[in-house]
Amino acid sequence: MLGDLLDGAWQSIVFGIVGVALMAAGFLLVDLLTPGKLRELIWVRRNGNAALLLAANQLGIAGIVFTAVLTSYSSFTKGLASTVVFGLVGLLVMALAFLVLDLLTPGKLGDVIAADEPHPAAKVSAATHFGAALIVCACIA
C-alpha cells in the first residue's frame, strides 16, 4: 500500500513537471503570436487583452493535461507520452486557430491583442484558444 502511494506521488510530480513545461510552452506560443514581449505587456503595461489570451491558453493547456492524465493508460510511460503528445498537439491547434482567426478578421489580431485599450476581439481570440483546447480534450477521451 505504501508502495502504491509513493508510486502515485512520484507520478504526480512527473505529470506536474510535464504540465508546467507545457504551460510554459503555451506562454512562449502566445508571446510569439503577439507583438512585443508578453511579460512587459501583461506585468508592466497591465494589458488586459494579452492577459485574457494568455489566461485562455494556460487554462486550455491545463485542460488538455488534465484530460490526458485522467484518461491515462494503465502504463505510466504510455500515459506520460500521451500527455506530452496531446499537449504539443494542443499548442499546435491553438496556434492554428489564432492564425485562422487572424485571416478571417480585419487588421492584425496580434496588434489588437497588444493594444492598450480593451478590445472585444481579445474575448473572441481567448474563446478560440480555449475552444481549440477543448477539441483536443475531446479527442483524448
Side-chain angles (χ1 to χ4, degrees):
M1 178 153 152
L2 180 60
D4 290 341
L5 181 63
L6 292 176
D7 249 9
W10 168 247
Q11 290 177 9
S12 295
I13 291 168
V14 174
F15 276 114
I17 290 168
V18 168
V20 169
L22 287 167
M23 290 172 68
F27 179 96
L28 295 173
L29 173 70
V30 174
D31 196 28
L32 181 68
L33 293 172
T34 54
K37 290 290 179 198
L38 198 56
R39 292 168 48 152
E40 182 179 323
L41 283 172
I42 296 172
W43 282 271
V44 176
R45 290 176 36 194
R46 298 174 184 248
N47 182 299
N49 297 328
L52 182 61
L53 181 60
L54 180 61
N57 178 277
Q58 296 294 279
L59 288 170
I61 290 297
I64 291 168
V65 171
F66 172 84
T67 306
V69 172
L70 188 66
T71 62
S72 191
Y73 297 93
S74 57
S75 162
F76 171 68
T77 307
K78 285 182 182 177
L80 189 61
S82 75
T83 301
V84 171
V85 167
F86 280 111
L88 294 174
V89 166
L91 288 170
L92 179 67
V93 171
M94 282 189 270
L96 178 63
F98 183 92
L99 295 172
V100 168
L101 184 63
D102 190 23
L103 288 173
L104 295 173
T105 55
K108 295 302 291 172
L109 188 54
D111 292 338
V112 169
I113 298 300
D116 287 328
E117 60 277 352
H119 198 291
K123 294 176 185 173
V124 175
S125 184
T128 301
H129 249 61
F130 192 70
L134 289 178
I135 292 167
V136 174
C137 288
C139 292
I140 296 170

